[in-house]
Amino acid sequence: MSKPSNASGAPGLSIVIPAPADTSALEETLVSVLENRPDDCEIVVALGCEYADPWNIREEVRFVQAPRGSSLVGCTNLGIAASTGRVIHVLAAGWRATEGWTDKPVERLTAGHAAAVVPLGVSDEDHDLVVSAGLRHTLGGRRVPVVAAPRRSLRASAFDPRSVRRPTAPVLEAGFWSAELLTAAGPGFATACGDALADADMAAAVGSAGGAVVLEPESRVVCGAMRARPSAFVGGLQAERLFWRSLGGRAVLAALVAHAVEIVRHSIASAPLATLPMLVGRLVGIVQFGAYVPRARQLAALRQGARSAEATASEGQTLRIDEAHERAGRAPRHAAPAPLKRSA
């Protein structure tokens, strides 16, 4: 699907590939993206490790170097900052593209019908088996995968979005986002919640901004390795941060009650050995309350912006947001990708 570039000459789509450590996984993703590359796009690879570019593809792919040891969130944010497209697609190293996977999401986001689009994640062993369909961020502060485990009844070839609960955000590894939203909500994803919960933290911002999140079954990616679980202490700390960072966008009393229930659930799920360190982590997260004030103000600003947009729309006017997202320089682009050739 060919799309014209916008007036500034920037591409319509930026494909950001964060690669914290695994270069083999990176090459799998790069091959799939270049084989199925859409028109009017740029590819930005954010490296947290050394990569020698043995295929000599720097004319087709822009590499940006993050500090060694950067996390998935850190590499993702660097790639977003270096991108120039109006639509940003994050596809983590190890996850693979399929034919036409960007068509519908770009169409929806460009038309303003969504703030984020969730692609359907399918199994590496069975490309018709659905294993990922975004996430839900609950009132009590829990991140819940929309598809928690492979279910034989969920086949991509006959998938009905109504068969699962509507996601509130894409997973960090694979999602399509409005660049304007990522700028207003961050910029980028929060490192405070770690790789495990950064996508749920972004879900809170999307909700405050009043943005629609759409599950698009015609967009499919092959799932790679899932992220590692943090330790009990870190998991408790990040879960508590997630709740308090999102509280500003919710009904406070109802959220506090739901959060108390969530802590009980988490304690039972962590029993017997991990309960105490998890609770200590949550306690540390609570005493960091002052750090959440800027986030509360940010969510309030997003809500105010959403209300202003609704008011403007009700008056029959058009709201334009022309602020560009944070960016680094653009690399030269070519009309078609060059085949992979190993350099001498």
Side-chain angles (χ1 to χ4, degrees):
M1 181 178 67
S2 178
K3 290 182 177 298
S5 298
N6 60 36
S8 67
L13 171 66
S14 294
I15 301 174
V16 174
I17 305 175
D22 191 343
T23 56
S24 297
L26 169 60
E27 290 187 340
E28 290 179 359
T29 303
L30 275 173
V31 168
S32 72
V33 169
L34 290 173
E35 285 179 345
N36 298 283
R37 181 179 185 174
D39 295 334
D40 189 31
C41 81
E42 64 175 355
I43 302 172
V44 180
V45 175
L47 296 165
C49 57
E50 295 296 329
Y51 183 63
D53 185 21
W55 303 104
N56 194 25
I57 56 173
R58 290 185 183 271
E59 291 185 352
E60 296 299 328
V61 177
R62 180 144 48 95
F63 293 93
V64 291
Q65 188 69 52
R68 181 180 290 274
S70 291
S71 66
L72 177 61
V73 171
C75 289
T76 299
N77 286 342
L78 179 65
I80 291 172
S83 67
T84 59
R86 308 277 296 185
V87 173
I88 295 179
H89 172 39
V90 178
L91 188 67
W95 291 57
R96 302 199 304 276
T98 63
E99 184 179 0
W101 93 106
T102 66
D103 292 357
K104 284 292 185 179
V106 170
E107 180 181 323
R108 288 180 179 273
L109 286 160
T110 302
H113 296 158
V117 176
V118 179
L120 211 57
V122 297
S123 169
D124 188 19
E125 292 77 21
D126 181 357
H127 288 190
D128 197 39
L129 177 62
V130 178
V131 297
S132 175
L135 65 96
R136 291 189 59 81
H137 180 205
T138 70
L139 184 62
R142 183 184 178 194
R143 178 193 186 275
V144 181
V146 171
V147 179
R151 284 160 44 187
R152 296 293 167 183
S153 59
L154 291 180
R155 311 303 297 184
S157 56
F159 184 82
D160 183 352
R162 295 171 296 182
S163 64
V164 297
R165 299 192 67 181
R166 189 175 66 178
T168 56
V171 297
L172 178 61
E173 291 87 348
F176 294 83
W177 303 88
S178 160
E180 293 166 353
L181 171 69
L182 291 180
T183 298
F189 294 85
T191 58
C193 296
D195 291 351
L197 299 176
D199 44 17
D201 182 77
M202 184 61 73
V206 175
S208 293
V213 177
V214 177
L215 174 58
E216 180 49 72
E218 292 189 33
S219 173
R220 300 176 190 174
V221 295
V222 180
C223 295
M226 303 305 289
R227 70 196 80 164
R229 282 180 140 189
S231 67
F233 172 83
V234 173
L237 172 64
Q238 293 175 347
E240 203 63 26
R241 287 174 174 173
L242 172 64
F243 172 74
W244 292 105
R245 281 176 56 84
S246 61
L247 185 61
R250 308 211 163 173
V252 175
L253 182 58
L256 288 173
V257 172
H259 185 54
V261 174
E262 168 57 19
I263 292 177
V264 172
R265 184 210 65 81
H266 199 178
S267 298
I268 295 172
S270 303
L273 299 179
T275 299
L276 182 58
M278 181 275 293
L279 291 174
V280 172
R282 284 188 176 273
L283 180 61
V284 173
I286 292 174
V287 300
Q288 296 175 344
F289 186 82
Y292 311 133
V293 174
R295 178 62 165 179
R297 291 172 179 164
Q298 184 181 48
L299 295 183
L302 289 172
R303 291 197 307 277
Q304 180 60 41
R307 286 193 292 266
S308 298
E310 290 176 0
T312 302
S314 67
E315 294 172 0
Q317 299 176 1
T318 302
L319 177 68
R320 294 191 58 193
I321 304 176
D322 294 322
E323 179 184 2
H325 59 292
E326 182 183 359
R327 65 184 68 174
R330 292 178 56 221
R333 295 180 59 255
H334 299 274
L340 291 176
K341 295 181 180 180
R342 185 175 292 276
S343 58

